[in-house]
Each structure stands twice: as structure tokens, then as C-alpha cells.
Amino acid sequence: MDILQEPLVKKIINILKYVQAENKKAHSGEPYLFELLHYDFLNIEPIGIAKISVKIASKNFNERTTSWREELKDFHAQKADLFSDIKPSRQIEKASVLLESWIKDCANLTIQQLIEKIISESGILFNALTADDKNWNMQLLNTFFDFVKAECSRNSKAKLTDIIETLDLMETEGVSLPAERLIYSDDGVNFITTHSSKGLEFEYVFVIGSNIVTGKQNTT
């Protein structure tokens, strides 16, 4: 099974393409944004996106020129009132804040750190772990992340642009990225980093390498 054809992985790749494009040149990632805002893990109502789309089209028609990125920023800055035809949305505000944060992180984090941050903060990981097909979702995420790690190992100076170019070349040439088998048990323990566990809830949590010692001994 080629994971590059799976919707979950395609969504991650499109987010990376948007972030990379905006980091390189402002507003050059606009073609990705309309679809990106409809992704299920962002929980944005389509009517809210439609209203912003109409507003952008109206401004550009009147030669006032604007962009999706600017309108998202302005959208959540509006105050709710009876006379506004567009009401603020917490989910749109959250999406705007996250996108701006990832664009900045693109220039300051390693590729692996950036991807891990996007998967965790966007809600992708939460949706993957709570879906009925969570075993398959985890195989997709594990395979994709291993691919990124392997590419970075081969080229220590690799940038996000290099990863995206490789993925585009693979798709053009029909090169697949087979899913790696991941052994997962519903009755087992999720082994995840502290950063990746943000926003998740578990009945029991085991912290490895942290021992609490009573008495006169130091606590580590």
C-alpha cells in the first residue's frame, strides 16, 4: 500500500507545502489554503470558510487586493456584534495562529521537529488515535516519519524544500512509499513523547526515567 496516496498523508504533505511556500515568499502558498482549511482535524465550519472566500473575492473585484492569510488574521480580530455579517470563530482563529506559528517554525526548527509539532498541534495525532482505524493511521504516520528521518540521515543539510521536492518526484515517477507494519494493541501502552501527548487524555500515565524517592534521598 502506497501511503503517499492516503488522504491522511496527503493532508500532512499539503500543510508542509503551504508552510514551506509561505516561508519562502509571502502569499505564495495561497493555492493550498482553501482546501487546507476544510481538513477535518481543524474543525472549521465550511460556512465560515465560504464567507471569507466571498469577502476576498469582493475585495479583489474592487481592486483592493487581499489574501487568505491576511483575511484569516483580520477575521479573528473582529469583534462580535449584531451588524457584522461575519462572526468570529474560535476554530478559524486557532487555525490562523497555528499556521503563522508553523511558518515561523519552518525557519527555526529541524524538519523532524516541525513535522512532529504540526502533527501534534493540528489535531492530526488526536484524530488518528481516536478513529476506528487507528491502527492503520499509526502505520501511516510511522511510515511517513521514518521516511523523513531517513532522508535527513542521508542529507544532514536537507531542508523542507528538499523533502517536498523528493515527494513530488516520487509521485511524478510513480515511486511508492510502502506502509510499514506497526504492531499495535488496544490493550497495550501508547509509547509517545511528552510533546506528542499534548492535548491527549489517558486513564493511566507512566513516565519513564522518573523515579520519586521518599526519605532523605534526593528526588529525581
Side-chain angles (χ1 to χ4, degrees):
M1 181 70 71
D2 181 11
I3 73 161
L4 298 180
Q5 302 305 317
E6 292 297 309
L8 177 60
V9 176
K10 283 186 174 182
K11 291 174 182 178
I12 297 174
I13 294 174
N14 278 343
I15 293 177
L16 293 175
K17 286 182 176 180
Y18 171 76
V19 169
Q20 188 274 329
E22 289 294 322
N23 181 261
K24 186 176 181 180
K25 182 180 179 181
H27 309 315
S28 62
E30 294 282 293
Y32 302 103
L33 203 46
F34 183 78
E35 178 186 338
L36 194 156
L37 292 173
H38 284 87
Y39 290 163
D40 52 0
F41 46 80
L42 293 178
N43 295 316
I44 300 175
E45 292 186 1
I47 188 62
I49 303 171
K51 288 180 177 179
I52 297 177
S53 180
V54 170
K55 186 176 181 181
I56 292 173
S58 176
K59 282 189 175 182
N60 289 336
F61 180 78
N62 294 310
E63 298 182 350
R64 285 186 286 174
T65 311
T66 186
S67 68
W68 274 91
R69 186 175 174 185
E70 291 172 331
E71 289 303 319
L72 285 177
K73 200 73 174 176
D74 292 340
F75 184 82
H76 72 73
Q78 295 183 60
K79 294 182 179 179
D81 59 66
L82 297 175
F83 306 101
S84 174
D85 58 343
I86 301 181
K87 299 296 187 294
S89 164
R90 291 185 61 186
Q91 294 305 321
I92 291 180
E93 177 181 2
K94 179 181 177 181
S96 176
V97 171
L98 285 176
L99 291 171
E100 292 298 319
S101 172
W102 298 337
I103 292 170
K104 182 177 181 180
D105 290 334
C106 185
N108 296 285
L109 299 180
T110 65
I111 300 174
Q112 295 176 57
Q113 289 173 330
L114 175 64
I115 294 176
E116 182 182 358
K117 196 168 186 282
I118 290 174
I119 291 176
S120 175
E121 294 181 345
S122 64
I124 292 175
L125 181 60
F126 178 80
N127 277 21
L129 288 174
T130 55
D132 293 335
D133 53 350
K134 59 183 178 183
N135 290 4
W136 174 239
N137 289 337
M138 294 310 296
Q139 288 185 55
L140 295 177
L141 293 177
N142 185 68
T143 302
F144 182 73
F145 202 72
D146 280 351
F147 163 78
V148 173
K149 288 192 293 184
E151 289 299 308
C152 291
S153 296
R154 278 193 284 269
N155 180 9
S156 59
K157 297 182 180 180
K159 296 182 179 180
L160 184 56
T161 306
D162 301 317
I163 300 295
I164 292 174
E165 287 179 352
T166 299
L167 290 169
D168 286 340
L169 182 61
M170 291 173 67
E171 183 174 3
T172 301
E173 299 298 329
V175 178
S176 65
L177 182 58
E180 296 176 0
R181 184 182 179 190
L182 181 66
I183 299 175
Y184 185 92
S185 172
D186 290 333
D187 298 324
V189 176
N190 292 316
F191 187 65
I192 52 182
T193 65
T194 303
H195 184 75
S196 299
S197 65
K198 289 173 60 178
L200 302 180
E201 294 183 2
F202 300 96
E203 187 173 357
Y204 300 101
V205 175
F206 302 91
V207 182
I208 300 175
S210 178
N211 303 312
I212 299 178
V213 183
T214 59
K216 297 182 180 179
Q217 299 182 37
N218 293 331
T219 300
T220 59

